[in-house]
Amino acid sequence: MLGLSLGASAVSALISFVGSVTAPGGLQDRAAKLNVSRAPGRPWLDLAWQLFSIGTALLPVALVAYLLLREGAGGLRAIGLDRRRPMFDLSRGAALAAAVGGTGLLFYLAVWSVGGNLTVVPESLPSVWWKFPVLIASALQNALLEEVVVVGYLLRRLAQLGWTPLAALAASSVLRGSYHLYQGVGGLVGNMAMGVLFVLLYRRWGRVGPLVAAHALIDIVAFGGYALLAGEVSWLPTA
């Protein structure tokens, strides 16, 4: 599963980070770009590529659902991704997003200011009608993929293999940090800390639903906020 999804992303992020560190200049001089145009000047083709990318990135989530069904666990319900407690998931997710999102932004700005992070560019899509819908869909895709695979499914499988709770927590949080390493040291450390918190909350609540909601809200604000504020405020780094 990890070899098909976020494990491969972790290796890619490591190679990207090595390339950034060994290139002339500082990390601040390079940009980590998310949600980029895939067919500049051709909006309909660009939209097709965006939707294709989002859809294929969700295939590991479908595979997790199938594997959980096959073992008789009831699919994604086994890890708490269903419609049984929507208000619980949304309220906890919104509160978590507010706390983590604000702290994460301050941490990024601090690490970037001392040269420990690349300039993160959350989006550079053209100004077309589908820009914000695609950004929202991208945020939902990130949330589903990461929380289902790195929290719900990974912890379940590691427990079945006899891993201790502490070892499983470390594995999940290190994995989360590692595939964000392309952003720099701040991306690694900040996401590892987020991973520890999310694992602890998952164990407390028994559901990935609130984590998916929180992650989606964090990314929606990050993507949309950058689209609206880039070049308009002095405190936001831009490439």
Side-chain angles (χ1 to χ4, degrees):
M1 172 63 68
L2 294 178
L4 294 172
S5 57
L6 295 170
S9 296
V11 176
S12 174
L14 175 60
I15 296 171
S16 177
F17 178 70
V18 171
S20 296
V21 169
T22 56
L27 291 179
Q28 289 174 316
D29 300 326
R30 277 169 288 283
K33 296 184 178 181
L34 293 68
N35 299 301
V36 299
S37 176
R38 296 175 180 271
R42 305 182 68 184
W44 286 104
L45 182 61
D46 201 346
L47 175 59
W49 278 117
Q50 299 295 334
L51 296 178
F52 171 78
S53 177
I54 291 169
T56 54
L58 286 173
L59 290 178
V61 177
L63 180 57
V64 167
Y66 167 73
L67 293 174
L68 291 174
L69 280 171
R70 194 178 69 171
E71 75 173 74
L76 296 177
R77 173 177 287 196
I79 58 175
L81 187 61
D82 51 42
R83 295 178 292 178
R84 287 179 295 176
R85 305 179 68 186
M87 293 310 299
F88 178 90
D89 292 345
L90 290 174
S91 61
R92 298 300 191 281
L96 183 58
V100 172
T103 303
L105 175 59
L106 293 175
F107 180 73
Y108 161 67
L109 293 174
V111 176
W112 179 87
S113 68
V114 298
N117 221 75
L118 284 75
T119 300
V120 177
V121 180
E123 72 84 25
S124 56
L125 296 176
S127 296
V128 292
W129 65 269
W130 49 258
K131 175 175 183 172
F132 286 97
V134 162
L135 290 176
I136 292 171
S138 178
L140 291 171
Q141 172 251 299
N142 290 341
L144 284 167
L145 177 62
E146 294 188 38
E147 306 316 325
V148 167
V149 173
V150 179
V151 178
Y153 190 69
L154 180 61
L155 292 180
R156 183 180 182 88
R157 286 293 180 252
L158 292 181
Q160 292 172 341
L161 291 171
W163 285 47
T164 66
L166 182 60
L169 181 150
S172 178
S173 60
V174 168
L175 174 59
R176 186 187 294 267
S178 65
Y179 58 75
H180 287 95
L181 185 58
Y182 69 92
Q183 299 177 6
V185 177
L188 171 69
V189 176
N191 280 280
M192 283 179 61
M194 177 178 168
V196 171
L197 176 62
F198 274 32
V199 168
L200 294 176
L201 290 176
Y202 173 67
R203 288 174 173 166
R204 179 181 179 84
W205 294 332
R207 298 182 60 76
V208 297
L211 308 183
V212 170
H215 194 147
L217 288 171
I218 290 170
D219 280 6
I220 288 171
V221 172
F223 298 164
Y226 186 89
L228 295 172
L229 296 177
E232 302 296 327
V233 294
S234 59
W235 52 265
L236 183 63
T238 57

